[in-house]
Amino acid sequence: MVSAHQAKHLLKIPALKADVIMLNLEDGVPKEKKEIARIVSGIILSNLKDIDKEIVIRVNPLTEGGIEDIKFLDQFNFNAFRIPKVKSPKEIEIVKKLTNKDIHLSVETKETFFELKDFN
């Protein structure tokens, strides 16, 4: 997992010995650096060519900038979005309308866990 506001860390992605790299725009990024993290991630992604790793982007919660993250970053070459703090199937429907990329869910509360039967 690489904090997306740290360009020097993002530049090391091709050399990292990992099968999956997660660009973290959420908890690892200070609030005042969220926008720059989104932009820096886009720049880095647009310059990654022939990468042999899966790239997943952990966006912010949908009500805290995650929708904007998805709308901006969806245009770049990577594999999946990780959606944190998912609360309802409706949130997943919103994400499905914004992207055709794979969607990884982060179930972080017992309330959501007990509602998983309602997720498709």
Side-chain angles (χ1 to χ4, degrees), residues 31-71:
K31 198 171 263 192
E32 65 276 4
K33 295 189 178 184
K34 299 280 185 179
E35 182 68 24
I36 194 73
R38 185 185 299 147
I39 293 166
V40 169
S41 294
I43 292 167
I44 296 298
L45 290 168
S46 67
N47 287 293
L48 286 178
K49 306 289 185 233
D50 301 320
I51 190 93
D52 63 343
K53 302 162 187 358
E54 185 169 336
I55 305 288
V56 178
I57 299 179
R58 182 180 184 206
V59 298
N60 288 286
L62 297 184
T63 58
E64 298 173 29
I67 290 174
E68 292 79 6
D69 293 339
I70 294 167
K71 285 180 178 178

Side-chain angles (χ1 to χ4, degrees), residues 2 7-18 21 44 47-53 55:
V2 181
K8 66 182 181 181
H9 296 160
L10 295 172
L11 290 169
K12 295 178 183 178
I13 288 173
L16 293 174
K17 295 187 180 196
I21 306 292
I44 296 298
N47 287 293
L48 286 178
K49 306 289 185 233
D50 301 320
I51 190 93
D52 63 343
K53 302 162 187 358
I55 305 288

